[in-house]
Amino acid sequence: TITYTYTDSNSCSASDTAYTTVHPAPTVLFPGPITLCENSGLYALNGATPSGGTYSGTGVIGNDFDPFAAGVGMHTVYYMISDGNGCSDDDSASYEVLGVPATPTITQVGDTLYSSAPSGNQWYNSGGPIIGEVGQSYFPGISGTYWTIVMDSNGCFSDSSAHVNYIYVGITENNVQQFE
């Protein structure tokens, strides 16, 4: 209840009363911080409560965050909601976008493949990752298509190296003794 009273210079007074309703603002919670790799793809923005609000900020496309569009660095993502009474609230979260390792190149020296990345390699062939082959060099021993992907200390992956068609020409010793 709001009452307004006025008294003029003749000591005459008048008052009027109005009634108003105060609604509580919605309480918004937008969890963070979030860390993503630049090439990790769209990240769904669905953790804010209550639902039904709008997201905004660098790299925000609808209800998704695009780390590649945002670029490497720290970004603030905002969430705002208005309720049926016209009351609103907002919150923000920090999103860190990490760079990715350089795409490795493969060279072949003799019968061994070498990655340009000194560490973090995972070698692949058409069957998928080659278990235990994580060094800078790899000796396939059989013909096939090979490539590598590098993971850095932050868990970010490079793009795949070019696929190399490796042809193994091995010479084996014939131990069968024959006389004619």
Side-chain angles (χ1 to χ4, degrees), residues 45-110:
L45 298 169
N46 58 10
T49 57
S51 63
T54 56
Y55 297 94
S56 63
T58 302
V60 174
I61 303 168
N63 289 335
D64 294 316
F65 177 76
D66 184 349
F68 186 78
V72 174
M74 293 296 293
H75 304 280
T76 302
V77 177
Y78 301 92
Y79 180 74
M80 185 179 140
I81 191 164
S82 295
D83 65 15
N85 297 314
C87 299
S88 62
D89 192 21
D90 60 64
D91 196 7
S92 64
S94 295
Y95 278 56
E96 182 177 14
V97 178
L98 302 174
V100 296
T103 302
T105 56
I106 297 176
T107 55
Q108 182 175 348
V109 178

Side-chain angles (χ1 to χ4, degrees), residues 28-178:
V28 170
L29 177 62
F30 185 24
I34 303 293
T35 301
L36 300 166
C37 299
E38 186 178 21
N39 62 352
S40 61
L42 295 179
Y43 180 81
L45 298 169
N46 58 10
T49 57
S51 63
T54 56
Y55 297 94
S56 63
T58 302
V60 174
I61 303 168
N63 289 335
D64 294 316
F65 177 76
D66 184 349
F68 186 78
V72 174
M74 293 296 293
H75 304 280
T76 302
V77 177
Y78 301 92
Y79 180 74
M80 185 179 140
I81 191 164
S82 295
D83 65 15
N85 297 314
C87 299
S88 62
D89 192 21
D90 60 64
D91 196 7
S92 64
S94 295
Y95 278 56
E96 182 177 14
V97 178
L98 302 174
V100 296
T103 302
T105 56
I106 297 176
T107 55
Q108 182 175 348
V109 178
D111 57 3
T112 303
L113 301 175
Y114 292 90
S115 168
S116 60
S119 62
N121 292 283
Q122 172 60 64
W123 290 90
Y124 292 80
N125 64 14
S126 57
I130 303 168
I131 305 301
E133 294 301 333
V134 295
Q136 185 175 15
S137 63
Y138 174 58
F139 169 68
I142 58 172
S143 297
T145 302
Y146 297 90
W147 64 94
T148 187
I149 295 175
V150 176
M151 182 178 76
D152 68 13
S153 61
N154 294 316
C156 294
F157 291 92
S158 70
D159 290 332
S160 171
S161 69
H163 292 206
V164 172
N165 290 319
Y166 175 87
I167 298 174
Y168 179 67
V169 181
I171 299 174
T172 58
E173 184 177 335
N174 184 349
N175 288 329
V176 179
Q177 297 178 358
Q178 296 179 350

